[in-house]
């Protein structure tokens, strides 16, 4: 039987954070068996996202030890009694968690879940329990804590995928790529011919660039301080790039467009870039803040800033859509990915910090 809620305790391996700034150490932990609504996933790979790195840097001495990771991909090993949509052996990609019960979840907007913060950043289940408590470590980050050999997810943050693509490649779709592409396609609904600038050409920004090309935006202006990334942005769909260490962003955007842009996708979280984003905006233009802010701020002449979470994507719909686009050669996100062995997690994080690697993906176990 593969669907009874079990009383078992699993021995897992996970990268544990016990020190501000890292390093993470791979340790053996005890994980409680799954609840009725949970799915035990054996992880094949996990992307590393900047939010993971932010948590490593923000960890305080008074905090408990944590297992991070929120771009997991793996194979279903066991399902709880009430789980209907997946079964043992199914390949899955993990995404953000939502409660499933609140008004916004019920109306199909899980990215606006009223319990979004607790479900993703609470390091516990919504009922306050923690499957890693025996080891004195907190998990359930984004409903997954995927820097581990095994993860407990639910149907709400798990997406069944087809077997024809390597699972390890699909891991980063669950957060960063979904956020960048979803912002352009779902949140802003950028139309053909609209002008757009992307501030910061990391994984999220480059996903926005690829999506902007898909919907026919023009011009698509990539702004970054790293020439190598700007070069890649041009290959992925940017029509222009600006190196904001050497060039005056406002002047160059005015030169390209004759005025300003209809949209700015701001991924850098630098206050100065936020200010600049507003300044280069056309009347009725929108700045999408992919920097953790929420809510809408109205500005003169119909301009506004909008805080966006997970690109307003419903993972079970949007991730298969991105996979389809990838297969059609229209969303070549594989060009952002560099693979690392799980044990090299600290090197992968260091490379991402320095900007040498755009999207590190950890290989945790071989795809069966
Ligand atoms: Zn993320
Ligand atoms: Zn909810």
């Amino acid at each position: 039987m593969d669907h009874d809620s079990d009383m078992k305790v699993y021995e897992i391996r996970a990268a544990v954070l016990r020190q501000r700034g890292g390093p993470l150490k791979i340790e053996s932990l005890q994980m409680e068996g799954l609840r009725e609504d949970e799915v035990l996933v054996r992880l094949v790979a996990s992307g590393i996202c900047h939010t993971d790195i932010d948590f490593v840097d923000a960890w305080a001495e008074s905090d408990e030890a944590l297992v991070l990771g929120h771009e997991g991909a793996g194979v279903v090993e066991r399902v709880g009694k009430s789980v209907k949509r997946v079964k043992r052996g199914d390949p899955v990609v993990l995404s953000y968690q939502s409660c499933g019960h609140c008004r916004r979840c019920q109306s199909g907007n899980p990215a606006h879940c009223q319990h979004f913060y607790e479900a993703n950043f609470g390091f516990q289940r919504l009922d306050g329990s923690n499957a890693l408590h025996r080891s004195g470590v907190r998990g359930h980050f984004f409903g997954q804590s995927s820097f581990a050999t095994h993860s407990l997810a639910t149907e709400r943050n798990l997406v069944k995928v087809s077997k024809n693509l390597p699972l390890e490649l699909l891991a980063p779709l669950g957060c960063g790529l979904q956020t960048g592409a979803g912002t352009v396609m779902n949140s802003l609904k950028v139309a053909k011919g609209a002008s757009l600038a992307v501030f910061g050409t990391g994984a999220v920004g480059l996903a926005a660039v690829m999506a902007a090309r898909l919907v026919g935006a023009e011009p698509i202006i990539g702004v970054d301080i790293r020439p190598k990334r700007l070069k890649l942005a041009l290959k992925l769909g940017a029509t222009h790039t600006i190196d904001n260490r050497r060039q005056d962003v406002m002047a160059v955007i005015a030169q390209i467009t004759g005025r300003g842009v209809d949209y700015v996708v701001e991924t850098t979280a630098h206050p100065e870039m936020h200010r600049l984003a507003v300044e280069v905006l056309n009347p009725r233009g929108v700045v999408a803040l992919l920097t953790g802010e929420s809510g809408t701020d109205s500005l003169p002449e119909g301009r506004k800033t909008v805080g966006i979470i997970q690109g307003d994507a419903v993972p079970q719909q949007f991730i298969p859509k991105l996979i389809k686009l990838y297969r059609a050669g229209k969303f070549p996100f594989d060009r952002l990915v560099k693979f690392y062995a799980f044990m090299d997690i600290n090197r992968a994080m260091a490379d991402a910090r320095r900007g040498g690697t755009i999207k590190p993906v950890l290989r945790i176990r071989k795809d069966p």
Side-chain angles (χ1 to χ4, degrees), residues 14 25 68 70 89 92 97 107 113 121 145 194 199 201 237 259 261 268 304 308 323 334 347:
K25 292 202 178 108
L68 298 166
H70 62 285
V92 291
Q97 187 58 290
S107 63
C113 173
F121 303 109
S145 286
F199 286 6
T201 51
R259 35 180 202 154
V261 285
T268 72
K304 60 182 177 180
I308 289 170
I323 292 173
D334 56 325
R347 185 162 62 84

Side-chain angles (χ1 to χ4, degrees), residues 250-308:
M250 218 161 122
V252 180
I253 287 183
Q255 212 175 63
I256 296 167
T257 61
R259 35 180 202 154
V261 285
D262 302 325
Y263 301 100
V264 178
V265 176
E266 196 328 65
T267 72
T268 72
H270 289 295
E272 198 190 317
M273 295 307 282
H274 182 150
R275 187 180 50 76
L276 192 59
V278 172
E279 280 174 9
V280 300
L281 207 58
N282 285 335
R284 292 196 301 282
V286 184
V287 176
L289 297 171
L290 274 54
T291 51
E293 282 100 327
S294 60
T296 301
D297 209 357
S298 294
L299 306 163
E301 295 183 88
R303 297 176 176 91
K304 60 182 177 180
T305 64
V306 184
I308 289 170

